[in-house]
């Protein structure tokens, strides 16, 4: 079987890459060892987060993603519950407030960024459910939220609509270079040849990278999210700061933010779960009697410098990588940029800051 | 008095064996283990020990002491007393909502607690097999188990004009109990056809005692002139604000509705009894491997002959290990309790092995009977033809057959995929009811055997726990390390 591009990983990033490539007329195969979104995309609060991203390359990439979201949503055939709700980053102490002021000032150095400082009372006027302990906040209107499950499914449907092939439940076993821009991808259901390979395997991208001798230096970072029963609207904006929380279109609250670097286990840590409940209750006291009904555990791909790894691998023409944390946020941009690379060869944003070349040269090892 | 209400954290610092579920299996396991010298704690959701089988009236409800409804309750009382005599502690009104990788078990009653037992015995019982049809969510449509709970637990008649529909001996037993309590049961519909039943008589050779029970129930129904109709079931239920009528239909050998055989009747209560499914959620959460056994209710935990699961230190006994009836549950509980205690070097191994041997022998015969029954009385896929496009499949999220069908794509060949997009299983019951329904539906639509469509991912809390209770628990646990910042 021959394709223009084989995209490995059908999560938010892989889905977006495959969809936009298919839209552009490329013959694509979207491959995932599970079902689309069954990796980390099913286990994320799916905030489209611009506010906290450090300038400039990280901030710019995430801003680009957030900007493109409504445009991509309009081209999908399913509702994805995209809301440009903004984020309210709250502070519990004056010290946190001071840090936030300085942070926001620095963020403004990047064109396009905007956020407003609010007093505790102003924050509570915006979001009455916030605790009286909140001394102040920063409001950033650039942030949004989306339903990642519907998003992945809609992207995958889009791939099919534009003539692409979806291979779910198919594992990639090996990747061989056959020449310049000629790759052979061996899977559990046969082999295929293509001009472009896109490694969008998220937390498992290092494993795919090894198949071509490329070291993708991401570390797994386990995070838990508690899900509550659906409740009447409690908050409109996403809340961040000491914790992270948002309310979905169905009324469920998604609570908490935790980190477990180096952890690939998709099992919970009780201490983390309980700690998240505590901090969320502190920030939103009305949560006291709200029932939690489940939690999910996601493994985020954590690059050493926090910056997404995006672009073609030097010395491996045709081998593309799109990996990093907050993939939900910058996925529309990754799709656009990789599609541009595979069509005109001219990405609309400079990709050097995101290149894998920044890590030990990123050169493929001798044994590939 | 060894029952403790409510829980005090310091009383659970160390326990040898934690049993989840105070039904026949749990009580048996706890008693045997305690006699062997282990410290045993039984955690149970209900207000009193006994589970479903030994269900007693709630405090404040008075029932005539010689009432037939109290028969099983009296049996249960004796066993619970014996357990307490042996030193078993019962914690009632206690929900077990989590089993973590490090062996911790978390509970919630008035507050959350974490226990670290040396051995865990899961005796969580069974749940009823859901069968969907247009109007199955109408108020007035209940299950046989619910009717029993109302009757035995609260002395309440479920309705005035009751039609029973389902399959198997359980609904006959409930129908008889309803009749004995004075209910107006207008009919009992057994979906299996006559041919199947009578042709299988040979399976029950040697099971005279069991058949005797069944015959008693059947006699009660006959004496009260309650019609028992074979090869027929409910097709539709409807009414204004609650149930007013039911449409019934004949079924063929594959349980497919036979067109032209429908008829309507007025009832205010439709009681469904299509058999039981093992409650496996806690076992799945605890990491126990499952295997598919259609003669024991479908997915059951993989167990060795000591009732030990694939997860070290975790045993499963009773209906939760596979549908087999109350006596089988007790025998499994006995084996599990003794085996768990032996693992902890409690008691006399020779005596224990003897008891285990005897229990195993009897258990084999019980399970043979149970498997035969289950084979006869398991719904066949033809019954899915009752579904229409707007029949609700997931009650919590109100997802219909039509909505499900509209989202099916080639990459949705497993339950979890369907769930993420259609929201089935995301509601308050976390798939407790719809999992088996959606699995059957998916199996039919994709042609995959039901054992290959998987199940929903199970994550704690198994049942709802307030944020506040979890938050309070964190104050009693070690603190989390400083957040990673980027």
């Amino acid at each position: 079987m021959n394709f223009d591009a084989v995209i490995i990983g059908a999560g938010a990033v892989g889905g977006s890459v495959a969809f936009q490539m298919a839209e552009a007329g490329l013959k694509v195969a979207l491959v995932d060892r599970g079902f689309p979104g069954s990796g980390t995309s099913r286990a994320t609060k799916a905030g489209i987060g611009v506010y906290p991203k450090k300038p400039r390359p990280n901030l710019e990439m995430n801003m680009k993603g957030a900007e493109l979201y409504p445009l991509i949503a309009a081209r999908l055939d399913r509702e994805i519950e995209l809301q440009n709700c903004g984020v309210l980053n709250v502070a519990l102490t004056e010290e946190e407030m001071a840090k936030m002021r300085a942070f926001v000032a620095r963020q403004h150095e990047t064109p396009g960024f905007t956020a407003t400082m609010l007093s505790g009372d102003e924050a509570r006027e915006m979001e009455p459910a916030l605790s009286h302990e909140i001394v102040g906040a920063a409001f950033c209107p650039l942030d949004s939220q989306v339903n990642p499950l519907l998003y992945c499914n809609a992207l995958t449907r889009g791939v099919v609509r534009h003539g692409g092939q979806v291979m779910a439940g198919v594992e990639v076993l090996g990747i061989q270079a056959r020449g310049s821009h000629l790759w052979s991808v061996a899977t559990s259901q046969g082999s295929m040849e293509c001009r472009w390979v896109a490694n969008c395997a998220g937390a498992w991208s290092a494993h795919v990278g090894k198949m071509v001798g490329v070291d993708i230096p991401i570390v797994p970072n386990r995070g838990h999210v508690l899900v509550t029963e659906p409740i009447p609207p409690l908050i409109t904006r996403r809340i961040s700061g000491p914790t992270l929380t948002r309310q979905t279109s169905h009324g469920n609250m998604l609570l908490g933010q935790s980190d477990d670097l180096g952890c690939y286990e998709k099992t919970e840590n009780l201490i983390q779960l309980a700690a998240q409940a505590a901090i969320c209750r502190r920030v939103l006291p009305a949560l006291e009697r709200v029932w939690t009904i489940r939690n999910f555990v996601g493994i985020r791909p954590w690059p050493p410098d926090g910056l997404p790894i995006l672009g073609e691998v030097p010395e491996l023409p045709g081998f593309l990588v799109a990996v990093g944390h907050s993939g939900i946020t910058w996925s529309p941009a990754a799709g656009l940029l990789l599609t541009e690379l595979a069509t005109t060869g001219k990405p609309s944003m400079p990709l050097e800051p995101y290149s894998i070349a920044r890590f030990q040269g990123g050169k493929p090892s001798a044994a590939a | 008095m060894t029952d403790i209400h409510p829980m005090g954290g310091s009383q659970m610092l160390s326990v040898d064996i934690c049993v989840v579920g105070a039904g026949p299996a749990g009580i048996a396991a706890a008693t045997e283990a305690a006699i062997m010298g282990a410290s045993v704690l039984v955690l149970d959701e209900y207000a009193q020990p006994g589970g479903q089988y030994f269900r007693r009236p709630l405090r404040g409800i008075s029932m005539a002491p010689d009432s037939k409804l109290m028969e099983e309750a009296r049996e249960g009382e004796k066993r619970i007393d014996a357990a307490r005599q042996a030193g078993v502690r019962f914690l009632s009104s206690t929900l077990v909502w989590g089993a973590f990788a490090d062996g911790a078990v978390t509970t919630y009653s008035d507050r959350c607690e974490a226990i670290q037992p040396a051995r865990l015995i899961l005796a969580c019982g069974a749940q009823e097999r859901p069968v969907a049809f247009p109007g199955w969510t109408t108020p007035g449509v209940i299950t046989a188990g619910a009717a029993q709970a109302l009757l035995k637990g609260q002395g309440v008649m479920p309705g005035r004009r009751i039609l029973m529909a389902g399959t198997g001996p359980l609904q006959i037993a409930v129908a008889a109990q309803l009749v004995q309590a004075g209910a107006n049961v207008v009919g009992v519909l057994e979906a299996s056809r006559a041919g199947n039943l009578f042709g299988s008589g040979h399976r029950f050779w040697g099971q005279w005692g069991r058949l005797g029970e069944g015959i008693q129930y059947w006699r009660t129904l006959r004496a009260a002139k309650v019609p028992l109709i074979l090869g027929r079931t409910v097709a539709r239920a409807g009414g204004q604000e609650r149930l007013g009528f039911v449409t019934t239909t004949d079924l063929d050998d594959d349980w497919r509705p036979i067109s032209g055989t429908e008829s309507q009747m007025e009832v205010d209560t439709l009681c469904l009894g299509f058999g039981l499914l093992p409650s496996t959620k806690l076992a799945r959460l605890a990491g126990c491997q499952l295997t598919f056994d259609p003669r024991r209710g479908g997915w059951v935990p993989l167990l060795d002959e000591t009732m030990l699961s694939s997860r070290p230190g975790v045993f499963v006994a009773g209906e939760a290990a596979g549908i087999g009836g109350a006596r089988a549950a007790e025998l499994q509980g006995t084996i599990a309790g003794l085996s768990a205690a032996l693992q902890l070097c409690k008691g006399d191994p020779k005596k224990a092995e003897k008891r285990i041997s005897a229990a195993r022998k009897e258990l084999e015969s019980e399970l043979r009977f149970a498997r035969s029954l289950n084979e006869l009385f398991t719904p066949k896929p033809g019954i899915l033809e009752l579904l229409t496009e707007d029949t609700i499949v997931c009650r919590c999220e109100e997802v219909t057959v039509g909505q499900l069908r509209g989202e099916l794509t080639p990459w949705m060949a497993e339950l979890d995929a369907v769930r993420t997009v259609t929201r089935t299983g995301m509601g308050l019951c976390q798939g407790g009811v719809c999992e088996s329904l959606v699995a059957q539906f998916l199996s039919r639509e994709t042609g995959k055997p039901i054992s290959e469509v998987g199940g929903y991912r199970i994550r704690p809390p198994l049942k709802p726990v307030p944020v506040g209770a979890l938050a309070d628990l964190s104050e009693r646990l070690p603190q989390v390390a400083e957040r990673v910042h980027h």
Side-chain angles (χ1 to χ4, degrees):
Chain A
M1 279 240 68
N2 288 329
F3 294 93
D4 293 315
V6 171
I7 294 94
I8 303 170
V13 175
S16 168
V17 171
F19 172 63
Q20 296 190 63
M21 281 189 176
E23 271 186 316
L26 294 171
K27 187 170 169 211
V28 310
L30 177 59
V31 186
D32 199 294
R33 64 180 182 174
F35 60 87
S38 59
T40 308
S41 295
R42 72 170 294 177
T44 165
K45 284 191 302 297
I48 295 164
V50 174
Y51 169 81
K53 303 302 192 330
K54 295 211 169 74
R56 273 171 72 144
N58 202 10
L59 180 54
E60 285 175 341
M61 183 57 68
N62 283 275
M63 273 200 313
K64 187 78 181 170
E67 227 179 83
L68 292 173
Y69 249 102
L71 302 175
I72 204 174
R75 294 166 2 231
L76 298 172
D77 77 345
R78 280 290 187 275
E79 173 62 51
I80 62 172
E81 295 169 10
L82 176 66
Q83 290 173 319
N84 180 209
C85 53
V87 69
L88 204 56
N89 194 72
V90 304
L92 285 169
T93 66
E94 286 303 338
E95 200 192 322
E96 281 172 28
M97 195 60 193
K99 281 199 187 126
M100 211 193 309
R101 247 184 267 276
F103 175 78
V104 168
R106 269 197 318 274
Q107 295 290 76
H108 274 101
E109 289 164 15
T110 304
F113 182 89
T114 172
T116 322
M117 297 305 297
L118 302 171
S119 68
D121 287 336
E122 285 169 332
R124 273 180 290 277
E125 216 183 291
M126 216 180 224
E127 293 291 349
L130 283 174
S131 144
H132 282 274
E133 278 191 76
I134 304 297
V135 303
F139 173 66
C140 179
L142 302 173
D143 278 34
S144 301
Q145 56 192 9
V146 72
N147 182 321
L149 311 164
L150 299 184
Y151 178 50
C152 288
N153 187 54
L155 288 170
T156 310
R157 294 176 64 92
V159 168
V160 172
R161 253 198 350 272
H162 290 280
Q165 209 173 322
V166 174
M167 298 174 187
V170 174
E171 186 147 4
V172 171
L173 301 172
I175 307 169
Q176 289 275 339
R178 293 251 178 265
S180 175
H181 279 283
L182 189 59
W183 296 92
S184 171
V185 180
T187 77
S188 52
Q189 280 183 32
S191 289
M192 36 195 175
E193 303 225 314
C194 57
R195 295 190 290 117
W196 299 91
V197 173
N199 180 359
C200 303
W204 300 273
S205 56
H207 171 69
V208 174
K210 280 205 186 77
M211 294 178 187
V212 293
V214 172
D215 176 39
I216 300 183
I218 55 110
V219 174
N221 185 2
R222 179 178 71 179
H224 304 72
V225 177
L226 276 167
V227 182
T228 74
E229 54 170 328
I231 57 176
L234 185 69
I235 54 175
T236 308
R237 294 143 195 96
R238 286 175 38 233
I239 309 289
S240 67
T243 184
L244 272 164
T245 170
R246 76 175 191 92
Q247 187 160 24
T248 72
S249 308
H250 297 266
N252 307 82
M253 296 291 298
L254 302 182
L255 305 178
Q257 162 65 44
S258 71
D259 297 278
D260 262 320
L261 273 180
C263 186
Y264 263 117
E265 298 283 314
K266 279 194 185 176
T267 55
E268 301 80 5
N269 176 312
L270 174 62
I271 295 173
Q272 296 270 18
L273 278 184
Q276 282 170 53
I279 185 68
C280 288
R281 174 182 62 180
R282 192 170 168 205
V283 171
L284 294 167
L287 289 174
E288 176 75 33
R289 292 196 206 294
V290 173
W291 285 346
T292 58
I293 60 178
R294 67 177 169 275
N295 84 89
F296 49 77
V297 175
I299 312 292
R300 290 159 295 186
W302 212 257
D305 53 7
L307 211 50
I309 305 171
L310 216 54
E312 193 171 31
V313 177
E315 298 184 17
L316 284 182
F319 195 86
L320 305 167
V321 178
V323 172
H325 92 95
S326 216
I328 293 282
T329 304
W330 46 261
S331 59
L336 175 67
L337 293 162
L338 292 195
T339 301
E340 286 168 341
L341 278 180
T343 51
T344 64
K346 293 187 180 69
S348 48
M349 259 177 90
L351 289 182
E352 289 78 40
Y354 313 101
S355 171
I356 196 169
R358 70 190 194 265
F359 302 113
Q360 297 175 334
K363 296 189 166 89
S365 59
Chain B
M1 168 112 156
T2 50
D3 278 17
I4 304 159
H5 317 279
M7 307 198 328
S10 58
Q11 287 158 307
M12 286 183 298
L13 274 179
S14 80
V15 69
D16 289 329
I17 296 172
C18 186
V19 178
V20 181
I27 294 170
T31 310
E32 296 292 342
I35 290 171
M36 295 269 275
S39 59
V40 182
L41 188 61
V42 179
L43 304 170
D44 188 74
E45 264 187 342
Y46 287 173
Q48 298 167 94
Q52 178 74 352
Y53 191 76
F54 292 139
R55 191 187 280 272
R56 295 181 277 174
L58 295 174
R59 287 188 223 282
I61 308 285
S62 55
M63 205 99 79
D66 59 348
S67 150
K68 282 228 149 107
L69 286 176
M70 293 286 291
E71 253 174 50
E72 280 122 19
R74 277 192 291 273
E75 250 188 83
E77 290 261 19
K78 286 195 210 123
R79 285 167 174 65
I80 294 163
D81 283 338
R84 290 203 183 113
Q85 290 295 337
V88 174
R89 286 178 299 165
F90 286 95
L91 278 175
S92 296
S93 301
T94 300
L95 163 69
V96 174
W97 59 264
F100 293 85
D102 62 355
V105 165
T106 48
T107 66
Y108 173 64
S109 56
D110 59 345
R111 65 181 207 170
C112 283
E113 295 290 352
I115 317 170
Q116 204 108 19
R119 293 295 180 273
L120 187 59
I121 301 178
L122 303 178
C124 311
Q127 59 184 80
E128 298 185 83
R129 175 188 274 118
V131 167
F133 50 86
W136 72 298
T137 60
T138 309
V141 180
I142 64 173
T143 61
Q148 236 181 10
L150 282 171
L151 211 54
K152 287 170 145 190
Q154 302 185 35
V156 167
M157 195 67 72
R160 291 184 206 288
R161 267 178 72 80
I162 307 171
L163 176 69
M164 309 239 11
T167 186
L170 200 54
Q171 71 156 347
I172 305 289
V174 173
Q177 284 169 344
L178 282 169
V179 162
Q180 278 161 353
N184 177 15
V185 178
V186 302
V188 179
L189 306 181
E190 163 57 62
S192 288
R193 302 187 88 206
N196 291 345
L197 297 179
F198 293 118
S200 304
H202 64 276
R203 294 164 186 262
F204 300 100
W205 189 260
Q207 302 281 354
W208 310 119
R210 289 303 174 149
L211 290 179
E213 267 176 50
I215 287 169
Q216 280 292 9
Y217 291 134
W218 182 65
R219 278 212 182 111
T220 304
L221 295 181
R222 273 251 298 198
K225 297 202 169 54
V226 177
L228 169 61
I229 304 161
L230 302 179
R232 199 164 176 83
T233 199
V234 55
R236 204 159 42 248
Q240 292 290 49
E241 276 153 6
R242 58 164 291 138
L243 189 64
F245 70 89
V246 167
T247 306
T248 61
T249 176
D250 278 349
L251 297 175
D252 68 15
D253 279 332
D254 294 317
W255 287 49
R256 282 201 302 263
I258 299 174
S259 69
T261 65
E262 293 196 345
S263 74
Q264 208 174 73
M265 63 192 308
E266 280 179 19
V267 292
D268 68 2
T269 307
L270 173 62
C271 185
L272 305 172
F274 284 94
L276 301 175
L277 302 174
S279 292
T280 56
K281 275 191 178 181
L282 191 50
R284 284 150 79 177
L285 192 59
C288 303
Q289 237 185 300
L290 300 185
T291 180
F292 194 80
D293 185 351
R295 294 182 311 165
R296 299 286 301 286
W299 289 107
V300 297
L302 204 54
L303 303 172
D304 70 11
E305 47 174 25
T306 69
M307 311 305 301
L308 182 66
S309 74
S310 61
R311 168 94 187 271
V314 178
F315 296 80
V316 186
E319 304 282 65
I323 303 307
R327 183 59 188 150
E330 271 189 327
L331 294 165
Q332 290 181 332
T334 299
I335 296 168
L338 289 168
S339 303
L342 279 180
Q343 277 197 4
L344 297 176
C345 301
K346 305 276 182 189
D348 179 346
K350 281 215 183 86
K351 268 201 194 135
E353 289 297 347
K354 253 187 157 173
R355 281 183 68 71
I356 291 174
S357 261
R360 256 194 214 124
K361 229 174 144 215
E362 201 191 329
L363 180 62
E364 256 174 61
S365 146
E366 287 292 321
L367 289 183
R368 235 180 295 129
F369 182 74
R371 278 191 208 105
S372 301
L373 271 189
N374 290 338
E375 251 174 330
L376 276 181
F377 298 115
T378 297
K380 299 208 171 105
I383 200 167
L384 292 172
E385 284 179 25
L386 289 176
L387 299 173
T388 63
E389 289 296 282
D390 44 23
T391 306
I392 285 178
V393 173
C394 169
R395 299 173 71 122
C396 296
E397 293 285 325
E398 298 188 334
V399 183
T400 64
V401 169
Q403 284 166 333
L404 262 189
R405 211 170 255 139
E407 289 304 325
L408 284 184
T409 51
W411 57 87
M412 291 216 216
E414 56 181 286
L415 230 59
D416 243 356
V418 171
R419 170 170 172 248
T420 56
V421 172
T422 64
R423 299 191 66 82
T424 60
M426 286 196 182
L428 279 177
C429 93
Q430 292 294 284
V433 174
C434 73
E435 187 177 49
S436 73
L437 278 176
V438 179
Q440 283 169 64
F441 176 80
L442 200 59
S443 164
R444 200 165 81 125
E445 297 288 306
T446 62
K448 273 176 132 182
I450 202 163
S451 55
E452 284 174 32
V453 298
Y456 294 140
R457 184 178 286 187
I458 304 291
R459 298 261 59 94
L462 283 192
K463 285 194 179 169
V465 173
V467 173
L470 257 185
D472 290 340
L473 179 64
S474 85
E475 282 154 29
R476 283 174 272 132
L477 295 172
Q479 293 306 297
V480 178
E482 189 56 45
R483 235 219 94 184
V484 169
H485 275 287
H486 246 248

